[in-house]
Amino acid sequence: MFALLRDRKVRGILFQLLTVIGLVAFLWYIGTNTVHNIEQRGIQTGFGFLNGTAGFAINDTPIAYNETYTHGRVFLVGLLNTLIISFVVIILSSLLGLIIGVLRLSNNWLIAKLSSAYIDLFRNIPILLQILFWYNVVLATLPSPRKSIEFFGSIFINNRGFYVPKPALNSTTISMIVAVFLAIIIIFFLNRWSNKRHENTGEEFPVLLTGIGLIIGLPIIAYFIGGADMNPSYPVLKGFNFRGGKTFYPEFLALAFALTIYTATFIAEAVRSGIEAVSKGQKEAAASIGLSGYQALKLVVLPQAIRIAIPPTINQYLNIVKNSSLATAIGYPELVTVFAGTSLNQVGQAIEIISMTMLVYLVVSLAVSALLNWINFKMKIKER
Amino acid sequence: MKSKIAKISMAAIAVIGLSASVANADTLSDTKAQGYLKCGINSGLPGFASADSKGHWTGIDIEVCRAVAAAVLGDSTKVKFTSLNAKERFTALQSGEIDLLSRNTTWTETRDASLGLNFAGVNFYDGQGFMVHKSLGVKSAKELDGAAVCVQSGTTTELNLADYFRKNGMKYKLVAYDANDQVVKGYESGRCDVITSDSSQLYSLRIKLKNPSGSAVLPEIISKEPLGPVVRQGDDKWFNIVKWSYNAMVAAEEAGITSKNVDSMLKSNNPTVKRILGVEGKLGANLGLSKDFAYNIIKQVGNYGEVFDKTVGMNSPLKIKRGLNALWTKGGLQYSPPFR
Ligand SMILES: N[C@@H](CCC(=O)N[C@@H](CS)C(=O)NCC(=O)O)C(=O)O
């Protein structure tokens, strides 16, 4: 028995086992204690509230919703809005961050200085302040609905939002969407094929130009095949506000803008440090085999730099998801605002609601980490 | 990183608070032991709760906190105020961050019966109204179809708004914010056409606007908003104390006891006055308080009428009439069960 305990492996397992048992016991104690206390205080428990009528409106809903829907639906609306804002900001801040990161190292003194000034400024102002600032600036500078800025009689900008025509979901639009996906798939395989051919024969194929042609051309063809009628609903001023069309609300725009501007600074820094980490020798070698500055950047420097820049960038993606919850300040209806905020206030079931909310963030975080690991694995420099 | 979901972590702490705090609550002893009352209030609502430049709080809700402190601790200044927005208030009370919530909170069935709360009275009978930009030319709430409406989220206001438009077959665009300041900013910048809140507050909101005369309050009152102090469920003794501290203010007004005459009233031979002031009987002891608890309230805080006048009534900038808040003997609803 004691001899067994002297074995390091056995001892290790034993201690791990004890820790797990202790943890489970602790959680169980907290759990039962909490439920007991809550019931004593006459606070409702359980998830029945998810079927209860919410009773309040939400202004920006990607799926059908009105005040007669349930709190469960509120959860869904909030979740979708969190995902939408995060997705949009991830795309925009990646693009902006990449550009600024490269410009920051430009040989042009002015461009380099401007880029670094931008980074220093926006990285150091608390994001909440930035959100409030942009939001109130947006509201203050845009005109009222009756004095909207107007384009082609069908696009309107005012302090209630950005209104555009919204195509109906019919055969035309569906074929166009399919065409876009088709184009992407074709480009993917085209790129593969051209790379192989380039390796084997040294011949270049204009992938970029063909790609742009496909992305634009295929949907146009699809437009005519699908019946050439998008049957859009146009925004029109009726009474106080515009109705019809698609609205991008000021809350969404300000939040997306603020988060993009802020997060791009971190991504730019990640890109910059990635580029700087690529040894000078590589750039010189690229130049010596006759690559232009742009070619060297695209073919030699960026592929290596990106490997270094990806982990910190994905960390920023996680921060975007979390920071999107700061939307409560300006009332963009994402998960924390409507579900962990308004619903919680109506039904008072903090434990259930906060657990669900935390679970969402946990799942998103784990998913993004898994993605990161996968990308890291894929992007590892392959030894040949 | 530090900004991540500040809100969630706060609620999580509240959750832990729920799990850790003991079940057999004795708020009275706890309050006495710590020497001050933990009272949750509005962060800034003229007439109800607002702080002057020296950080001194005034308002009708503030006086309820003071009255309870005077009753329990004998000193109306022994209050620790915690300002809360509409969404935070119930979690703060449930988790024990505060022991009394006096923040223009409407008494509703759901809040009373399913949030683990108890309403200890109604210190202000209110109703919900609308304020619009005059330039819109709107004269009645019935003309608001399609309007964008600014509202504070986590309030009954938000729910009544949905009901009202649904009932009248009208549509609206909701613009909901957590903070009242942002609600006002949203309205001023034209993000919404209308602002809606408890009507007592519309007037104080209007005073705060850059151009008060550019806005008008519409005539409709669309709801009942009985506002009152709230305690946690499960501590009946504490519930009684808050209830009767408030009743003492109303009963004092009815009996003609004021902060000025309370000392001479000690010698009154009216039995009701004698019982209220603890000269006769053991009403204080029944509550676990000293026999002069009501004397302390009236002396240090004043009776209901005095408090009303100086915070929201004719001696205040708001100039709200007593209306529903007059004593029952004067056609209002303020009524204290008998002190006996
Ligand atoms: N009586 C309502 C509304 C209470 C409420 O929070 N009102 C808002 C204005 S409608 C308020 O007091 N805002 C001031 C602040 O949060 O500073 C309720 O209990 O839900």
Side-chain angles (χ1 to χ4, degrees), chain B residues 85-329:
Chain B
N85 75 23
K87 275 184 179 175
E88 296 158 347
R89 57 187 154 169
F90 301 127
T91 321
L93 183 60
Q94 287 165 343
S95 66
E97 189 188 340
I98 54 171
D99 292 322
L100 173 61
L101 175 68
S102 183
R103 189 205 169 280
N104 54 313
T105 298
T106 304
W107 186 350
T108 69
E109 199 267 4
T110 306
R111 288 175 178 176
D112 204 351
S114 78
L115 298 194
L117 310 174
N118 275 333
F119 283 79
V122 177
N123 68 333
F124 193 94
Y125 288 94
D126 211 335
Q128 182 174 336
F130 295 98
M131 180 164 71
V132 295
H133 293 291
K134 269 189 189 155
S135 59
L136 293 174
V138 170
K139 292 277 170 306
S140 151
K142 295 267 163 63
E143 298 165 26
L144 289 176
D145 192 13
V149 187
C150 277
V151 66
Q152 191 161 352
S153 52
T155 57
T156 49
T157 320
E158 203 179 7
L159 302 176
N160 298 328
L161 175 69
D163 283 0
Y164 183 77
F165 276 78
R166 182 140 66 106
K167 194 173 79 189
N168 289 297
M170 305 193 296
K171 283 202 168 359
Y172 69 104
K173 286 266 163 211
L174 177 82
V175 185
Y177 302 107
D178 282 5
N180 201 36
D181 286 350
Q182 190 61 52
V183 178
V184 176
K185 268 193 204 150
Y187 174 75
E188 283 198 300
S189 65
R191 174 69 184 89
C192 48
D193 306 296
V194 194
I195 198 167
T196 180
S197 83
D198 294 344
S199 63
S200 64
Q201 293 155 31
L202 288 178
Y203 294 93
S204 57
L205 283 178
R206 212 179 95 164
I207 301 175
K208 279 207 254 176
L209 296 179
K210 282 189 208 103
N211 173 22
S213 55
S215 290
V217 174
L218 299 180
E220 283 88 354
I221 297 291
I222 65 164
S223 72
K224 294 189 287 187
E225 306 291 328
L227 314 179
V230 197
V231 296
R232 268 185 304 279
Q233 208 166 298
D235 187 349
D236 290 354
K237 198 156 134 199
W238 184 247
F239 181 32
N240 282 338
I241 289 171
V242 174
K243 204 161 34 182
W244 285 94
S245 297
Y246 176 67
N247 286 341
M249 299 209 283
V250 178
E253 183 182 11
E254 198 183 329
I257 316 171
T258 67
S259 56
K260 313 254 153 37
N261 72 11
V262 63
D263 284 310
S264 58
M265 277 293 195
L266 286 171
K267 285 163 230 123
S268 158
N269 44 25
N270 178 338
T272 307
V273 173
K274 277 182 184 287
R275 278 196 298 273
I276 293 175
L277 295 180
V279 180
E280 229 174 71
K282 54 181 192 67
L283 299 186
N286 294 345
L287 292 168
L289 300 176
S290 62
K291 66 179 168 49
D292 59 354
F293 83 96
Y295 168 87
N296 288 335
I297 294 174
I298 300 160
K299 174 87 183 166
Q300 297 176 27
V301 180
N303 71 30
Y304 180 76
E306 288 178 282
V307 166
F308 190 99
D309 281 346
K310 79 171 179 220
T311 54
V312 296
M314 289 307 159
N315 291 331
S316 76
L318 291 182
K319 308 237 178 303
I320 297 175
K321 296 201 185 69
R322 282 297 285 270
L324 289 178
N325 293 298
L327 288 181
W328 65 290
T329 48

